[in-house]
Structure formats: structure tokens, C-alpha cells
Amino acid sequence: MNSQAPIGIFDSGVGGTSIWQEIHELMPHEHTLYLADSKYAPYGDKSQEEIIALSKKNTEFLIHQGCKLIVIACNTATTNAISQLRATYNIPFIGIEPAIKPAALQTQTKSVGILATQGTLSSELFHQTADLYTNSITLTEVVGKGLVPLIEKGALESPEMTQLLQKYIQPMLDANIDRLVLGCSHYPYLIPLLKQLLPNSVTIIDSGEAVALQTKTVLTELGLLSSAEIRPTLQFFTNAETTTLALLLRSYLEKIIIEKRTF
Ligand code: DGL
């Protein structure tokens, strides 16, 4: 495997670009290839078999493009499919899981909220992690139904989004949370709105930075970190419209390539 090969990244749609940003900021000389599987979003309501099949399709596309490592920038795909992917393909995978551990260690009120998809909250992997860290705290789990389709449309600050978020955070506020875990890679795009709706006492935690750090650690261990100070190729492929990708990545438009592709 060649250290100049791209890092492959996939998500059910546009949300994993929040993880791509962390990866690119930490490793600015890495070539990256991001797949937004928006045609099949959301994954969160699908069966585990469907999520595994879609994750395999994305993985095969990225392997075919010569990627050196794959970041599954989707909590739903990680928690439902990462062990099957690791068992099937001979390429390193980095996954993303809800940051329950830091939230449980930091909470002062002993109460943590998590907003994630149905697919993540019902997965075995999520339950194993939650059981490990939440014995002595209250964990309020809420499914963010409807949030991903709105983000896919680019409707980040719509009245509908505000209404849904108000409804979803209410049971958490009733439980006196002081940490809110964002368990879906689409949700960091809701942080500005969430900050308006939450009291200052609630800290929002997501996993993007941890995933970028882990990606760098694994690339370094495998001798695959790009050593050249080059201007990288930063490609984004979507199988739906390019509009929302362009909106979310507007501050990078001069240096990235966004294309509609079939996969
Ligand atoms: N971005 C995803 C996640 O992290 C998937 C959301 C969805 O497609 O339902 O879970």
C-alpha cells in the first residue's frame, strides 16, 4: 500500500463531511476521497442487513479507487457493520461511535443525553459501550427521527428543524443533563441551532476530533502517513444532487472537487 494513496471516507450522505473537515485540518497533505451515499440516506431507519450491504458497496467503490484506509464517517454504519467489513476486506477501517465515555466521565449532574439514529441506538455495539460507562449515571436516549433528511436538504435552520430539536431535547432537559452526545455525524451541523436552544450548562460532545486523531495514529503505525508537503486532491462523490455538499463545504470550494457519480 502506498502512502500517497487517498484516505477513503464514506457516510450515508453529507453528514460525514463534518468528520472530513477534522481529518483535513489535522492532516492537510493527505489526499481524500469522500463518498456521500445520499441516494440511500437515511441509513438510520434501515435493517442491519441493508446497512451492511450499503456499507460493502461503498467500501468496494473506495477500494477500487485505490484508497489506503477507510473511515466509516457514520455512527449507524459503524455500529451495525464494522465487524462484518473488517472480516471481509483487507484494508484498515476507522469507525465512529457516540462519545459516551467522555460524557460519562465529565458529567457533574450524573445525567447525559444522546441524540442518534434508531439504527445506532438499537445496535449491539452501542449497548456494549453504553453498559460499560453508564452504570452510575442516567442516560437519556432520543432518536433524532427526521433530522437527517432535513440536513440532506440543507434545511439546517428551518422552523421544522427547530421544532424537532425542541421536542428531542425536552426529555433530556427534564432529566437535568449537562452533556449532550451527538451520536450521528450529520448532527455537528446543528450545533449553532442547538446552542440557541440549550442552556449554557449543557456541553455538546461529538466524536469528530477523536476520529481524526485515531486515523492519524493508525496511518502512522502502518507507515502510511503522507510525508510529502503536497497540495492534495480532495474529491467528493455523491450519488444525488451536489447542492448540499457545496453548501456545507462552501469555505473549501476553491480547493475541492465535487462530482455526481453512480455507486
Ligand atoms: N450520518 C449517519 C450517522 O452518523 C447516518 C445517519 C442516517 O443516515 O440515518 O449515524
Side-chain angles (χ1 to χ4, degrees), residues 232-254:
T233 304
L234 307 169
Q235 287 176 296
F236 293 80
F237 292 170
T238 175
N239 49 17
E241 293 314 312
T242 54
T243 330
T244 306
L245 275 180
L247 171 77
L248 299 181
L249 296 166
R250 56 193 176 281
S251 56
Y252 298 94
L253 286 181
E254 275 173 18

Side-chain angles (χ1 to χ4, degrees), residues 11-13 15-16 40-45 73-77 96 117 120 148 183-187:
D11 178 36
S12 64
Y40 299 101
Y43 283 7
D45 307 333
C74 174
N75 293 258
T76 312
I96 180 169
T117 68
T120 295
V148 167
C184 170
S185 58
H186 281 67
Y187 300 167

